[in-house]
Amino acid sequence: MKNNSRRGFMGKAFGAVAGVGAVASLYAMKRSWDPLPSVKAAGFTTLDMSQYKENELVTEKWRGKPIFVLKQTAEMVKKAEKNPKDLERLIKIGNDYFLVCLGLCTHLGCIPGYNPDEKSFLCACHGGMYDFTGEVTKAPPPRGLDIPPFKIDGDKLVLGEEGPEYKKMLENGITLKA
Amino acid sequence: MAHFTKAKNLHDWLNQRLAIDTLNRVLATEYWIPKNINFLWAMGMILAITFGLLLISGIFLLMYYQPNIDLAFDSVNYTIMQEVGYGWLWRHVHGVAASVVFLIIYIHMFTGIYYGSYKNGREMIWISGMLLFVAFSAEAFSGYMLPWGQMSYWAGMVITNLFAGGSLHADGLVEWIRGDYIPAQAFLNRFFMLHVLLIPLAIIGLIGLHFGALRIPHVNNQDGEEIDFDAEAKKYLAGDKANSKVIRFMNDFLAKDMMVVGIFLILFFYLVFYHYDFAMDPVNFDPANGLKTPAHIYPEWYFLWSYEILRPFSTDVGLIAFAFAQVIFFLLPFLDRSPNAVPASRRGLFKYWFWAMLIDMIILTAMGKVPPEGVFSAIGFYAAITFIGLWIILPFITKFEKKV
Ligand code: FES
């Protein structure tokens, strides 16, 4: 009997040590799968906003992801002004308005195509559609195209840094943290 | 210690140490198989052989493949296809087998469903089989990434995005799975590891479990007859082979198995040599480009049905429906409440249920391939609803089935 409880105690003690070791190694495994620091630090992208032409979609690259830049025409801005939510999605630099967003469908991440005549985006994967401010007009995408963190710097735009205009968009629920 | 005597010959030497005679008896010569089973029961052997072909061809591909985003595409499409002697053969065998293996798995599964081979003591066979199906799916998906073509890249993008859980917006989890913001080097390396090491190990373990699960309940038969294997085996061993309902696995049944396997292999190598392209998506012959999505993204044919269940709904509902489709087959032995383990044709409403399910999955597969527009969207939507509905009614229609 005495022997038994001694074995039982040894078993439990070993179990406890092994348990701690198992949890620790699970944590190590989890951390090994994390993105590397060099990936996380993948720099900032600066865009010169004076070079874009109206109603012409340009795809830039940030953190390996495509970024859509669409300079709005006066007519588009007027249309957006009718719906304040739409205007809030646009970034104003000087007197110009831009849509700057992640070029990845918020459904499952395909790249939507832009049709300049209809001024809308179509995601061919599952038929999702967006208007020229990146707002959804046809499901399945659950929300408008996400806007990357940005900071306005004169007529330049720094992607990856969170400026006051971006923070305001987050607060107003215009975009999710991308 | 066991008692060892001086061995008379090599066989005796091995037998004393490895009990090869006992093994041979338990696994082959006295492993009893019912007589009344048709060629559909040979699918298990075909799967084992196809897995062997995948393993061997994979080993040869592994020697020249480069798991690097800048080199992967050329290592497959140039080095292996053009430079390596007979490299094309391994690639075509590997590609065709990866596709055909799913065709056989589906036949194997539907054979099991038709004959009720998941019931009354055979539940573990079914569950271990479904685990194998999941493992093969993961294996196929991770392998599809490796040539780093356009479809590889975008399939990787779309499938890993599923893990964001729709409105849960778990982007951190997606980035963790990828090891980057987008599918990139870390992603390719870890999927390479999964494809060549971890998942194959799991598959081999699961094959062991699947075979083990068969050992006690034995294989079902065409009439769903409950055979007393011990009594029938005695009859056979006593020499009354004609009246015994069972035969030896080896060599009796193996002869039939091998004939079916032989026919299969002829078809298989016909595909390898003359129609290997059916297993390869033309879009995947463009190198991966993270800034351009192909017009239509669709998975390989064997995933189309579950992809189509995801597609016609809004994101969250779609994800739930998709998750439902992934797990529901596991529950089949418990959702089918009827006591009968006989062919579907001799059962009640289940007979219609079986064919409705099969046809519905074929429709889903066809709709998954076409672009999601107009009437196709509608058909896909109703087929997805039908799929879910069929599973919901299954316990009810089987509950009232009379015992046959
Ligand atoms: S990924 Fe765009 S609609 Fe599905």
Side-chain angles (χ1 to χ4, degrees), chain A residues 30 33-34 108 111 124 140 143, chain B residues 161 169 176 180 190 293 295 315:
Chain A
K30 189 262 167 201
W33 273 69
D34 278 345
L108 290 175
I111 300 184
R143 60 175 190 283
Chain B
N161 267 336
H169 206 59
W176 183 72
D180 204 329
R190 61 187 57 174
T293 321
T315 323

Side-chain angles (χ1 to χ4, degrees), chain B residues 360-398:
Chain B
D360 191 49
M361 283 179 70
I362 292 173
I363 293 176
L364 283 168
T365 300
M367 291 303 111
K369 184 80 188 187
V370 295
E373 289 150 13
V375 60
F376 296 139
S377 280
I379 298 175
F381 176 76
Y382 289 113
I385 296 280
T386 308
F387 179 86
I388 296 169
L390 280 172
W391 282 103
I392 293 174
I393 60 167
L394 180 63
F396 301 103
I397 61 169
T398 48

Side-chain angles (χ1 to χ4, degrees), chain B residues 180-205:
Chain B
D180 204 329
Y181 302 105
I182 50 166
Q185 187 59 53
F187 177 92
L188 179 58
N189 271 130
R190 61 187 57 174
F191 275 76
F192 176 65
M193 176 283 290
L194 289 174
H195 186 72
V196 304
L197 179 71
L198 194 56
I199 306 175
L201 273 184
I203 288 180
I204 292 169

Side-chain angles (χ1 to χ4, degrees), chain A residues 37-65:
Chain A
S38 56
V39 167
K40 289 212 135 171
F44 304 95
T45 303
T46 306
L47 304 178
D48 176 4
M49 301 307 277
S50 59
Q51 53 155 341
Y52 298 104
K53 295 198 198 73
E54 288 184 353
N55 198 25
E56 190 183 285
L57 185 78
V58 180
T59 307
E60 304 284 359
K61 207 169 170 183
W62 169 72
R63 288 189 182 169
K65 296 179 179 177

Side-chain angles (χ1 to χ4, degrees), chain B residues 6-152:
Chain B
K6 183 154 169 35
K8 293 190 281 295
N9 51 32
L10 182 62
H11 178 95
D12 189 32
W13 192 88
L14 282 173
N15 208 19
Q16 289 192 45
R17 286 156 181 83
L18 291 175
I20 51 175
D21 280 350
T22 313
L23 275 179
N24 186 38
R25 194 159 48 74
V26 173
L27 296 178
T29 58
E30 290 183 27
Y31 175 37
W32 302 105
I33 306 286
K35 272 183 187 165
N36 58 334
I37 61 180
N38 58 32
F39 77 98
L40 288 167
W41 268 266
M43 296 303 139
M45 183 60 87
I46 291 184
L47 283 172
I49 293 210
T50 312
F51 182 65
L53 284 169
L54 281 165
L55 211 61
I56 294 167
S57 55
I59 287 170
F60 281 89
L61 294 174
L62 188 53
M63 289 192 266
Y64 293 95
Y65 172 73
Q66 304 272 5
N68 175 305
I69 52 173
D70 297 321
L71 305 175
F73 186 83
D74 282 340
S75 75
V76 174
N77 289 298
Y78 178 70
T79 311
I80 291 175
M81 290 303 289
Q82 314 277 329
E83 288 198 297
V84 178
Y86 285 87
W88 56 269
L89 177 67
W90 306 123
R91 190 188 184 194
H92 290 169
V93 166
H94 206 70
V96 171
S99 199
V100 163
V101 89
F102 277 91
L103 178 67
I104 308 292
I105 287 177
Y106 284 129
I107 297 176
H108 196 51
M109 261 172 83
F110 274 93
T111 304
I113 299 177
Y114 185 84
Y115 290 103
S117 301
Y118 49 87
K119 295 164 74 84
N120 305 345
R122 296 198 176 91
E123 292 87 349
M124 271 318 294
I125 306 176
W126 177 261
I127 291 171
S128 58
M130 282 309 299
L131 287 171
L132 268 171
F133 177 73
V134 171
F136 267 101
S137 300
E139 180 69 1
F141 173 66
S142 55
Y144 198 51
M145 296 299 103
L146 302 187
W148 213 241
Q150 266 294 63
M151 267 302 182
S152 300

Side-chain angles (χ1 to χ4, degrees), chain B residues 180-403:
Chain B
D180 204 329
Y181 302 105
I182 50 166
Q185 187 59 53
F187 177 92
L188 179 58
N189 271 130
R190 61 187 57 174
F191 275 76
F192 176 65
M193 176 283 290
L194 289 174
H195 186 72
V196 304
L197 179 71
L198 194 56
I199 306 175
L201 273 184
I203 288 180
I204 292 169
L206 285 168
I207 290 177
L209 176 65
H210 196 55
F211 286 179
L214 199 59
R215 189 66 217 184
I216 290 175
H218 281 94
V219 58
N220 189 18
N221 57 75
Q222 223 174 307
D223 301 317
E225 187 184 348
E226 269 187 47
I227 296 174
D228 181 344
F229 279 85
D230 292 329
E232 298 299 327
K234 253 191 214 116
K235 249 192 247 169
Y236 185 100
L237 289 175
D240 189 6
K241 293 188 187 178
N243 282 322
S244 171
K245 287 185 177 147
V246 298
I247 50 174
R248 299 171 191 274
F249 173 69
M250 203 163 95
N251 300 320
D252 309 352
F253 182 67
L254 209 55
K256 182 172 178 175
D257 243 9
M258 281 306 150
M259 192 193 76
V260 181
V261 168
I263 294 170
F264 166 75
L265 286 179
I266 291 172
L267 287 173
F268 178 82
F269 280 100
Y270 169 74
L271 290 175
V272 166
F273 291 120
Y274 300 102
H275 283 293
Y276 57 88
D277 49 336
F278 96 97
M280 295 188 187
D281 195 296
V283 180
N284 223 21
F285 289 93
D286 296 333
N289 180 351
L291 297 181
K292 194 167 152 270
T293 321
H296 297 300
I297 296 196
Y298 43 78
E300 289 291 85
W301 70 266
Y302 39 85
F303 293 142
L304 285 171
W305 67 271
S306 61
Y307 176 68
E308 183 59 21
I309 287 174
L310 165 83
R311 210 162 58 156
F313 303 106
S314 68
T315 323
D316 289 337
V317 181
L319 273 178
I320 293 169
F322 183 70
F324 177 87
Q326 305 313 305
V327 300
I328 198 67
F329 275 94
F330 277 92
L331 299 180
L332 178 61
F334 312 104
L335 293 176
D336 182 346
R337 310 277 296 277
S338 133
N340 300 319
V342 299
S345 61
R346 283 168 40 203
R347 295 177 55 177
L349 290 172
F350 183 80
K351 163 166 67 201
Y352 305 108
W353 187 92
F354 173 84
W355 292 109
M357 178 56 80
L358 185 61
I359 292 166
D360 191 49
M361 283 179 70
I362 292 173
I363 293 176
L364 283 168
T365 300
M367 291 303 111
K369 184 80 188 187
V370 295
E373 289 150 13
V375 60
F376 296 139
S377 280
I379 298 175
F381 176 76
Y382 289 113
I385 296 280
T386 308
F387 179 86
I388 296 169
L390 280 172
W391 282 103
I392 293 174
I393 60 167
L394 180 63
F396 301 103
I397 61 169
T398 48
K399 192 166 178 202
F400 300 109
E401 202 174 285
K402 286 191 293 295
K403 175 116 184 102

Side-chain angles (χ1 to χ4, degrees), chain A residues 8-22:
Chain A
F9 173 75
M10 291 290 284
K12 280 184 199 111
F14 172 73
V17 172
V20 171

